[in-house]
Amino acid sequence: MRNFTCVNDIGPLDKAVAEALEVKSNRFAYKHLGENRTLMMIFFNSSLRTRLSTQKAAMNLGMNVIVLDVNQGAWKLETERGVIMDGDKPEHLLEAIPVMGCYCDVIGVRSFARFESKEDDYQEKVINQFIRYSGRPVFSMEAATRHPLQSFADLITIEEHKTKSRPKVVMTWAPHPKALPQAVPNSFAEWMNATDYDFVITHPHGYELDPAFVGRATVEYDQDKALAGADFVYAKNWSAYADPNYGKVLSTDRAWTVTAEKMALTDNAFFMHCLPVRRNMIVTDDVIEGPRSLVIPEAANREISAQVVLKRILQDL
């Protein structure tokens, strides 16, 4: 595998999950692959799980790791062509990228949607420039439209906990005070659509996702109806996708918060969320702290998803 930005890059999901479970059973079995290799992790946005899990995965594989926080430890970077650079950004990404490539063997990039231009966000300009100009394998640690390491970890978690071959998985919108990107819900939908699960998306009117990511999912605007019989409930907020409201908050309706009463509509479902989570907006304390909450095992599997991706990249170097 050269680059990793979406579900299509991972190949057959049954093989990917089997490989993940093998890695999880012996995290240091492939330590020789990363010997004398360096991973550079580049963060344009904040991170907790992604930074820690990916760095741990690289260390499990014997790699050296360089972490660069662009907003704190580097010159401010201009990303647009044709700009007269007379402002506060003294270096252009087109020079910075190949320089970064000189110092490492693999590059991970985290760069969120900016909500300045839907076209720019959905063209994935930042990570695609790294792929084009770095000369190194590149993987996404969350981009403007997808978060594939998270979705891979979500899939691993569902496979570990499902009790039926075709579980019903419901992704529900939930309220949040700020405008959040569509990357996690887009990516989760994309990965769920690549399985044979019964997959349902529920959200208020106005929060429709890009049809390319919705795919074959059932869209249900009545949350209670969507939750009926669910085996897994994946809660996540996202801002509006459709113009003219792209990147806007249209609702903070607390009736969409995942509560114990909502979970009682399910078939004793597991609760999932990518974290960080706004308690008592996205989900109530009793649900996230309850025995059917998978948020910690889900986060732990971020190490495993990252390690499988890095392992495959290293094997192809």
Side-chain angles (χ1 to χ4, degrees):
M1 183 164 63
R2 175 71 180 181
N3 302 307
F4 177 73
T5 63
C6 68
V7 68
N8 294 333
D9 296 325
I10 204 71
L13 293 187
D14 56 344
K15 293 182 179 179
V17 171
E19 187 174 350
L21 297 178
E22 178 201 353
V23 164
K24 192 170 184 177
S25 69
N26 187 354
R27 299 169 201 234
F28 304 103
Y30 297 94
K31 196 168 185 178
H32 61 283
L33 291 175
E35 185 178 4
N36 299 325
R37 299 287 192 179
T38 298
L39 167 65
M40 181 175 289
M41 300 164 58
I42 301 164
F43 291 90
F44 290 84
N45 299 95
S46 301
S47 174
L48 189 151
R49 276 149 297 282
T50 298
R51 176 169 178 168
L52 297 178
S53 62
T54 308
Q55 186 166 355
K56 178 63 165 60
M59 293 167 62
N60 292 348
L61 291 166
M63 299 186 79
N64 301 309
V65 182
I66 299 171
V67 179
L68 176 64
D69 184 335
V70 171
N71 297 313
Q72 296 183 8
W75 300 112
K76 289 186 177 181
L77 296 175
E78 179 57 63
T79 61
E80 297 299 320
R81 288 180 176 273
V83 173
I84 297 174
M85 293 175 57
D86 59 354
D88 64 344
K89 298 175 181 177
E91 185 160 10
H92 202 287
L93 199 62
L94 293 180
E95 285 79 60
I97 288 172
V99 168
M100 294 175 192
C102 293
Y103 305 141
C104 63
D105 300 284
V106 182
I107 296 177
V109 180
R110 184 175 179 90
S111 179
F112 294 174
R114 298 180 179 180
F115 294 145
E116 295 172 359
S117 163
K118 183 165 76 172
E119 181 180 3
D120 286 353
D121 287 342
Y122 273 71
Q123 287 179 354
E124 293 288 9
K125 283 191 170 182
V126 173
I127 194 166
N128 282 332
Q129 287 185 83
F130 276 90
I131 291 171
R132 183 173 181 181
Y133 298 113
S134 69
R136 302 297 182 192
V138 174
F139 66 95
S140 172
M141 299 191 300
E142 188 172 354
T145 64
R146 292 177 173 94
H147 194 351
L149 287 177
Q150 178 64 53
S151 302
F152 187 13
D154 297 335
L155 175 64
I156 296 166
T157 307
I158 292 172
E159 285 293 302
E160 287 180 314
H161 291 86
K162 71 180 186 180
T163 58
K164 58 184 73 168
S165 60
R166 190 171 185 263
K168 180 178 179 181
V169 179
V170 178
M171 179 172 71
T172 179
W173 179 93
H176 193 282
K178 295 183 178 180
L180 297 185
Q182 299 97 33
V184 169
N186 281 348
S187 193
F188 186 75
E190 188 171 58
W191 284 69
M192 293 300 100
N193 279 323
T195 72
D196 64 351
Y197 302 160
D198 178 8
F199 179 49
V200 178
I201 302 173
T202 184
H203 54 71
H205 288 278
Y207 280 99
E208 292 79 8
L209 294 169
D210 181 345
F213 291 103
V214 174
R216 63 171 182 81
T218 299
V219 177
E220 173 56 64
Y221 294 96
D222 184 328
Q223 187 190 39
D224 289 357
K225 185 177 178 181
L227 292 174
D231 300 294
F232 294 87
V233 174
Y234 196 101
K236 187 68 182 78
N237 174 267
W238 60 89
S239 59
Y241 165 77
D243 294 326
N245 294 316
Y246 176 66
K248 294 181 180 179
V249 175
L250 305 180
S251 172
T252 56
D253 184 358
R254 300 288 180 86
W256 284 78
T257 299
V258 179
T259 64
E261 290 74 21
K262 296 282 187 180
M263 293 298 289
L265 301 172
T266 72
D267 188 12
N268 196 27
F270 289 104
F271 175 80
M272 301 179 69
H273 189 278
C274 62
L275 301 181
V277 66
R278 298 270 183 155
R279 283 181 176 231
N280 302 305
M281 284 206 72
I282 299 288
V283 59
T284 55
D285 291 335
D286 53 350
V287 172
I288 197 170
E289 294 176 14
R292 304 294 282 180
S293 174
L294 294 180
V295 296
I296 303 305
E298 189 181 355
N301 277 333
R302 289 295 309 280
E303 176 187 347
I304 306 307
S305 63
Q307 189 164 336
V308 172
V309 168
L310 283 169
K311 171 179 171 286
R312 290 193 178 187
I313 290 172
L314 290 170
Q315 286 173 327
D316 287 345
L317 282 180

